[in-house]
Amino acid sequence: MAKAMKDYKYHFGLKLRIYPDYQQRKIIKMSSDASRFVYNEMVYINLELWKFGNPKIYIAAVRERIEQLKGLKDSTTQLKDRYYWLRDKNVDSLAICEVELPKGLENVQTDRFTRNTTI
């Protein structure tokens, strides 16, 4: 059976310092800004979907917006189409494609919080 970290008497770590040049710093900043932007967009999409809830009455504009948000949530390709700077070759594509929201944000979609579903 494998030991957990708390079972060991000592913990060892590694500190690493990097010295990127100007071009590398620019690429690192661009990639981190893109992944932060995509993450924030996904959080906003989830929040807006949660606010819409499950409307009791049919309103075409609301249904269209919900479908549009679900499409944006399923694929980051539409975000890349909307924001051209995400298509830059220096932006880390894995950081954009593999955006996952933490488990804590799933609480927003549960009935733990009261929500107004009348639209």
Side-chain angles (χ1 to χ4, degrees), residues 60-101:
V62 172
R63 290 289 178 189
E64 288 173 10
R65 180 65 179 156
I66 290 173
E67 292 305 316
Q68 179 187 19
L69 290 172
K70 286 181 180 178
L72 283 173
K73 183 179 171 184
D74 292 340
S75 172
T76 56
T77 307
Q78 291 182 6
L79 281 177
K80 284 184 176 184
D81 291 341
R82 182 179 287 182
Y83 304 104
Y84 70 92
W85 57 272
L86 289 174
R87 289 204 174 267
D88 191 301
K89 66 178 180 161
N90 291 326
V91 173
D92 183 15
S93 61
L94 290 177
I96 292 174
C97 293
E98 296 179 2
V99 170
E100 293 183 12
L101 298 176

Side-chain angles (χ1 to χ4, degrees), residues 40-59:
N40 288 336
E41 283 293 308
M42 292 296 180
V43 169
Y44 177 75
I45 288 169
N46 276 344
L47 182 64
E48 194 170 348
L49 281 170
W50 174 75
K51 284 181 180 178
F52 278 126
N54 191 8
K56 305 259 188 236
I57 58 174
Y58 180 80
I59 301 174

